[in-house]
Structure formats: structure tokens, C-alpha cells
């Protein structure tokens, strides 16, 4: 049948119960995985229009980056340098830096400028092997801007060639109106939280599927987070949460209470918070790059031992982290978080899909999307060695895109 | 005069007392920096054959990677994955893994195979902005092999187009016969250390300029290190030392006693060791990537406060770290070691030059080699954000090479 593609003789890291197939084959049909198994069990098909010999190269599911902030304008390099030299964040914020600087630059940018910057970043994620990217709004912090950011993302959510002509990853669009208090509501976070709650139905209608809140010291309280995420849930959005990153404020318990898909960061979570996440089936999405710069390691092993599913994210954002490389994140998952290579790769694929409530990807399994990456290596251990392993070829729904 | 090149309107990070020049110019002549200063002070030259407008892009001295192990064959990805899953190193070594696996593969490789692998790696270092690379032998561990590895490096030490036709960084060749006990001397490290001492004059004659010893628990004792490095010094090699990485065995004091150019790693060094390094003017060369995977942070701030000059290295090696990116190392210097961007960049340029006793590079200063990199950014803070900032253009002795 036409449209079939065979990938043969690969080392298949399936991220599923099948484990690693040393000499495996994948049959792709109509953008889905039609069959996967040991190469010797492959039955001759008819009229395959393309057969690729992987020559024992490593193949994984497309990587899922479960936490990113890619819609913004401007850069904050001078601020980053000043912070590294010890300038207190309060001082930087008082001088108009911090998230306020990005909000001002993002609001000032035209839609076309935002689109160009966004597509450049998205293309870079894809070229690093990320086929699905969770992408948050949150640098407008007013109704019109936040909804425009949702639309900007939603128009590109399908993956493949975007409006600008570049190949892009599939996006999971997250409405993050609750990223910080909008400047017009400065000093009145309750009023702003009520506004964000009011915007949720429109965000859903504009194409968001998830909603997130930065629930932490200096940002939103648990009570304010609840207001926003209950409204989000009522509007049909899947809630998730920046939780217990800067301080232990109870974000983990809130995530559990609301049935969030994911609680993210968790640098300061304690045993009780971990137990709450485990009991509620909330995924823990960890961001090793930004954790490193915070000088604190999230309790990855304790989370795993409690039965919590892990996901990984780049946390790409204009203030602290510019990487788009999930293979760097996987390497840091091993070196910094103490995960095994298998655990880190499962977190970066199947775990990410679960963090985003996506049942159709993240594993090499018949019936799932044919989002695959073949890598410049013949063993998954290369991820922990390379600190940025390069894809050989990236397939999105079976089509080679990078 | 012909052969002059002007670089104008750049943000110049000089790594010298001149600090950062916001709108600076560099005049390059005969491979050297003829002049550097504010663009407005530039006096018209005659017959410049090339003028580049940097458009406010960042320029730094070429990065100096002060610690690498690039001469080897084979890979150890399966072992790395097993180690990440908790397999004890002793078990891996007993199964023929660890450094013994690389020694076997390296000895089995032909000279041509070693050269191809080496040049591929070296080209990758250069394309990441490293214009000078400290490159160690140490995966043969017998006389003939170690000397062949020295020659392999020495033939490529000049930088620019190598024998294989690719542009390579300048190399500082380090004889590391004392990396581990050669298999033929297993169980008799004293005898092996005496052998290595005997090979030093030949290593010098073959083109090595430095000698290094892995002085640590399970490798060589301080006494054995002294035997090898005294012989190295007598042979005209500049001594340096892997010191106090796995345990506090007194490597720092040995480095001070011998007047080593550098003591490297220093994860376990204490106050007394730091004081000894400071008093003797030994540079501390830190390797944040491998430190991360050891789960220990070297005391960068305490070293700086004691007056020790810092250098940075990738520690590229087949067993733990494949990165060739000094801009990733600089980012980790900030996030992991707590350096400011300025401190990390100075360590990766001027500090590296000092670690290698090179007075002719590492700063943007008249009279020094015109090893320069222009970057895809307009501020040095971009290093801490990007986790692998990309060069726009790399100049080696004034010639654009990448």
C-alpha cells in the first residue's frame, strides 16, 4: 500500500514495556506506527515506497518537552550577567528588569515580529529532536495579549510546515495568564487572578488545551491559584501548575486537589507533597537546566520511588534559559538529577506525553503517532555522554522533517 | 598595508583590564592584534583588505579549553548507561569496561583511524569557538603508543588546516602517560611510574610541552605522582596534575610543591590545599561538566577569594563527557559553579592561557595572537542563557576558520 515507510535494523528504545529492541524495525503507515518489533519478525509488505536501513543506529520516540515559554520578544542578557554577579532580583526588578522587561518588550512587538521569533525557536526545538512541545503564553498579562498569544500558538499546533514555511514540532498550547500579576493590576493580585479566571473560556475557544499558574512565593498564593485553575477546569482546560519551586507553599497539594495533569519544578517539595502527587496521579515535570541555576535539585529519586511519573522540560524562557535541546535536558537528568539513562529518556518521551495527557505518542508502539528520531549514536547511553546528542533524522507523523 | 583586517563596531569582551568595550574595534595584522580600542579612536589605516562591521555583536578572545582527552578510539555508551543505573565501577572494570576498554580500543586502532577520529573532534572544538585546546595522551599506556599519541597531536598543534584538510584549533600537547597503570604493569604502579618517568624525554622530543598525572585514590599516589612529574620537569615539560578529584589525597600540595602550571578538578580540595595553590601561583582548572556527574561542586568561589586564577576545561573524554562546547562549559561555570558571567568568561580565555603558560593569547590586547570569536549575541550574558552559545565566526591568528 502506498505511503508506507519501513525503518529497519535500528536499536529501538521503545519507552514501553517492550524495552530496547537491539535489531528492530518500524512500519509507518498514514502517519502512525503500524507495526514495531524485532527485524527478523518483519513480514514482507507490498509496495513500500521507502525503506531505510538504520544501520544499528538508535531510534527513540520523538522527544516531548513538557515545559516551555516560547512566546516573547526581547532578551535580558545584561540582566542575566548582572544577576550572575550578585545583583539582587529585587534591584533588577526595580530597574524595570525581570519578567516586567519581557512583558513590555512582548507587548510592544507586532504580531508578525512575535511570529518570526516564535517560529525560529520552534524550528530549533524540532531540529534537536523535540516533536511535541508544551508551549505557554504568559508574557502579555492582559486579556487581548494573552488571547493573541494563544492564537499564535494554536495556529502552529499541528506541527510540520508552519505559516512561515519552517517545519515545527506539534504544540500543546497552555494558557499561562497566571504567570505574574499584570502591570495594570499591580498590588492587587486577587483582582488579577479574578480577571485571569474570567479569560479562561476565551483562551479555550482560541485554542488552548491546558492552563498553568505560577503558584509560588512572590507570585500567586495557593488560594489565587485555585481560583484561576478551577475556572480553567470549568472552561475545559487541563490544569497544571508551577509548584513549590522557590519555596514550599503547598503547590503540590493544590495540584493534587485539582487533579492537575502535572506539577512542575518542585525544587522545594517535601514528603507530604510527594505523597499527595503520587496519590492523585499527578505527573512531576522537572526542569534540570533552571534547577541548576537555582542551586537546588528536585527530589527525582524520591518522586520515582513514591510512584510519581516523571516528565522533563527545557523550561526555555527569556529570563534564565535559552536552550531548546531536550537531549541536553536528558543528559542533565542523568548527571544532575541522578536518573538512569533509561529513566531520563522515558521521562523525556512517555512521561512527557502523560504530563500532557496525550495517549497517542511518547512510545514506539503500534497505533501511536509516528513521531520518531534517529540519532547519531548506536546506544542510548550516548545521551548521557554527549550533553546535546544530535539527531540524524526527525520524523513527524512519519514524514522526515529535520 | 596588505593583510590587515578591521573588525568594527563590536561589543568587545577583552578579558583584560580594559573590560568590555561597548563600541570597539580590533585591527589585525600578520595574525596578531595590532590595535584594540573604542571604535571612535580608530585611525584610518591604508589599504585594509577587509573591513567587517560587527553590528554590535559580541567578540571575545578565542576560548581556551584547558583540559581534554581527545586521542582515543571506541565508545563506552553501554557502560555509561549501566553506570547511570547504579552498576558499581568495580563491576564495570571487572567486565573489561572503564578506562581499560578505551585503552584496548585505542591500541587496536590504526594510526589513520586515530587521526580521523581526532580531527573530527578537534574540528568540533574549533567550530564551538575553542581556538586553543589542551590535549592529553593517556589511552595507550605503553611507550610506543604514548609517544605515537604525542606525535599525532604535535603534528596538528599549529592549528588551522590539519593534515586531513579540516580547520583545527591550536593544541597544547600534554603527555599523560600517568593516566592509569598500563595493563602490562598491573599490580605494580611503582614500576609503571618509573617507566613513565623514563619516557618523559622522548615525549618532549616528540612534541609534548606539558605533562600530567592522575594523582588520586585508585590511581597514582602523591609519591608516584612526584616521581613522574619530577622527571617530566627535568625533561623540560611543564607539569600539571589531576588533583583531589575523587578524594583528598594531597594533590593540591603536590602541585604547589612542584610548581605545576595547573591543578585540575579539585572537587575534594580543602582550605589548606587552596592556600597551597594560591601561595605557589598554581592555576585551578575546573571541569563543571564532569563535576556535575560526580555530584560534587569544586569550591570555585573559595579558590577565587584565595587569589587562585581559575581556568575551565571541557574534560572531553570517552568515558564520561563528549561535549566539545566551551560555551556550554561557561554556562555551567555560572549555573553550577556560581561564577559571574565575567568570571566564567575570563576563566575560559585569559585563565586558560595562564593554565597553559601561554602569554600570547587569551585577551584582546595589542601584540597578542588574533584568536577571536564573534558570537550570535550582543552581550556576554548570552553565554549564561544559551547553554551552548553559537559562534558567528571564529578567527585563528586573524584568519576566519569557522
Amino acid at each position: 500500500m502506498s505511503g508506507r515507510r519501513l525503518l529497519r535494523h535500528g536499536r529501538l528504545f521503545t519507552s514501553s514495556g517492550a524495552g530496547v529492541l537491539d535489531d528492530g524495525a518500524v512500519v509507518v503507515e498514514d502517519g502512525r506506527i503500524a507495526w514495531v518489533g524485532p527485524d527478523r519478525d518483519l513480514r514482507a509488505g507490498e509496495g513500500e515506497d521507502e525503506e531505510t536501513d538504520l544501520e544499528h543506529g538508535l531510534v527513540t520516540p520523538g522527544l516531548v518537552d513538557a515545559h516551555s515559554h516560547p512566546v516573547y520578544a526581547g532578551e535580558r542578557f545584561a540582566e542575566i550577567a548582572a544577576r550572575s554577579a550578585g545583583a539582587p532580583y529585587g534591584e533588577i526588578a526595580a530597574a524595570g528588569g525581570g519578567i516586567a522587561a519581557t512583558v513590555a518588550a512582548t507587548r510592544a512587538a507586532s504580531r508578525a515580529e512575535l511570529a518570526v521569533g516564535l517560529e525560529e525557536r520552534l524550528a530549533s526545538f524540532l531540529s534537536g529532536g523535540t516533536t511535541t512541545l508544551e508551549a505557554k503564553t504568559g508574557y502579555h498579562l492582559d486579556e487581548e495579549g494573552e488571547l493573541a498569544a494563544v492564537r499564535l500558538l494554536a495556529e502552529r499546533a499541528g506541527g510540520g510546515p508552519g505559516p512561515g514555511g519552517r517545519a515545527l514540532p506539534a504544540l500543546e498550547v497552555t494558557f499561562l495568564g497566571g504567570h505574574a500579576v499584570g502591570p495594570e493590576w499591580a498590588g492587587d493580585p486577587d483582582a488579577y487572578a479574578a480577571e485571569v479566571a474570567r479569560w479562561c473560556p476565551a483562551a479555550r475557544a482560541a485554542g488552548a488545551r491546558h492552563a498553568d499558574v505560577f503558584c509560588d512565593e512572590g507570585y500567586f498564593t495557593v488560594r489565587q491559584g485555585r481560583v484561576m485553575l478551577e475556572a480553567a477546569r470549568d472552561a475545559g482546560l487541563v490544569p497544571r501548575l508551577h509548584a513549590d519551586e522557590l519555596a514550599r507553599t503547598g503547590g503540590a497539594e493544590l495540584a493534587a486537589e485539582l487533579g492537575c495533569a502535572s506539577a512542575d519544578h518542585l525544587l522545594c517539595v517535601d514528603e507530604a507533597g510527594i505523597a499527595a502527587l503520587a496519590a492523585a496521579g499527578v505527573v512531576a515535570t522537572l526542569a534540570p537546566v533552571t534547577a541548576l541555576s537555582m542551586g537546588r535539585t528536585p527530589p527525582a529519586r524520591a518522586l520515582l520511588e513514591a510512584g510519581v511519573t516523571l516528565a522533563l522540560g527545557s523550561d526555555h524562557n527569556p529570563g534564565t534559559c535559552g536552550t531548546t535541546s531536550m537531549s541536553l535536558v536528558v543528559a542533565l537528568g542523568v548527571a544532575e538529577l541522578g536518573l538512569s539513562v533509561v529513566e531520563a529518556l522515558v521521562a523525556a518521551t512517555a512521561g512527557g506525553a502523560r504530563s500532557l495527557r496525550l495517549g497517542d505518542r511518547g512510545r514506539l508502539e503500534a497505533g501511536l503517532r509516528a513521531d520518531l528520531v534517529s540519532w547519531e549514536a548506536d546506544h542510548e547511553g550516548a545521551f548521557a555522554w554527549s550533553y546535546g546528542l544530535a539527531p540524524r533524522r526527525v520524523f513527524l507523523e512519519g514524514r522526515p522533517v529535520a
Side-chain angles (χ1 to χ4, degrees), chain A:
Chain A
M1 169 185 161
S2 156
R4 264 170 66 118
R5 180 188 295 274
L6 277 183
L7 301 173
R8 301 194 57 177
H9 303 302
R11 180 176 171 90
L12 306 186
F13 185 94
T14 65
S15 284
S16 79
V20 177
L21 303 178
D22 213 19
D23 182 19
V26 184
V27 181
V28 173
E29 208 171 313
D30 298 329
R32 297 267 159 172
I33 297 172
W35 185 87
V36 58
D39 195 88
R40 62 173 181 277
D41 295 347
L42 183 68
R43 293 214 268 164
E46 296 157 45
E48 281 83 22
D49 60 2
E50 192 164 342
E51 179 170 329
T52 305
D53 185 342
L54 297 163
E55 295 172 330
H56 305 289
L58 176 69
V59 173
T60 68
L63 302 183
V64 179
D65 184 337
H67 190 125
S68 88
H69 301 258
V71 188
Y72 60 86
E75 40 92 336
R76 283 155 50 193
F77 299 151
E79 169 193 329
I80 290 165
R83 228 188 302 137
S84 78
Y89 190 80
E91 205 171 273
I92 285 165
I99 189 173
T102 295
V103 170
T106 305
R107 287 182 175 186
S110 72
R111 187 180 161 73
E113 285 163 349
L114 281 180
V116 166
L118 174 64
E119 292 208 1
E120 217 163 90
R121 282 162 219 142
L122 296 179
S124 168
F125 282 99
L126 183 70
S127 71
T130 294
T131 52
T132 294
L133 177 72
E134 191 265 4
K136 305 177 198 292
T137 70
Y139 291 113
H140 284 88
L141 307 182
D142 58 11
E143 182 172 11
E144 193 189 323
E146 286 296 313
L147 296 177
V150 167
R151 279 190 294 270
L152 205 65
L153 290 168
E155 284 162 12
R156 289 155 183 83
R166 305 174 83 143
L168 310 177
L171 301 181
E172 287 294 308
V173 184
T174 299
F175 168 58
L176 179 56
H179 194 192
V181 176
E184 290 78 7
W185 292 266
D188 196 352
D190 282 341
Y192 182 71
E195 276 296 295
V196 170
R198 194 174 64 72
W199 305 339
C200 285
R204 179 81 188 93
R209 189 168 161 255
H210 311 265
D212 189 357
V213 165
F214 195 174
C215 179
D216 219 318
E217 202 167 84
Y219 291 84
F220 294 102
T221 63
V222 164
R223 187 176 49 76
Q224 290 155 355
R226 189 183 290 113
V227 167
M228 291 184 267
L229 286 186
E230 282 184 344
R233 214 175 42 181
D234 292 347
L237 294 162
V238 183
R240 55 201 300 109
L241 199 59
H242 282 65
D244 297 324
E245 181 188 9
L246 311 175
R248 177 84 180 101
T249 68
E253 281 83 352
L254 179 62
E257 171 198 328
L258 295 173
C260 282
S262 171
D264 295 32
H265 290 301
L266 298 169
L267 299 184
C268 301
V269 74
D270 60 12
E271 236 176 275
I274 291 172
L277 295 174
V282 179
V283 173
T285 299
L286 306 181
V289 181
T290 44
L292 195 64
S293 64
M294 307 282 297
R296 238 184 132 112
T297 309
R301 181 61 49 203
L303 286 159
L304 277 179
E305 281 171 359
V308 176
T309 296
L310 296 188
L312 292 172
S314 64
D315 196 12
H316 176 97
N317 76 80
T320 55
C321 171
T323 192
T324 57
S325 167
M326 275 299 284
S327 65
L328 174 61
V329 171
V330 168
L332 294 179
V334 175
E336 179 193 349
L337 306 186
L339 300 176
S340 72
V341 170
V342 171
E343 288 165 341
L345 263 177
V346 168
T349 52
R354 182 134 182 249
S355 166
L356 296 166
R357 297 261 169 97
L358 295 167
D360 66 348
R361 68 196 78 178
R363 304 185 304 280
L364 300 185
E365 237 174 69
L368 301 201
R369 281 167 63 108
D371 295 346
L372 316 165
V373 183
S374 73
W375 299 92
E376 291 290 356
D378 61 3
H379 193 286
E380 60 278 10
F383 276 95
W385 182 76
S386 300
Y387 291 86
L389 187 63
R392 188 172 290 164
R393 219 156 174 204
V394 181
F395 298 89
L396 197 67
E397 295 191 292
R399 283 165 293 128
V401 288

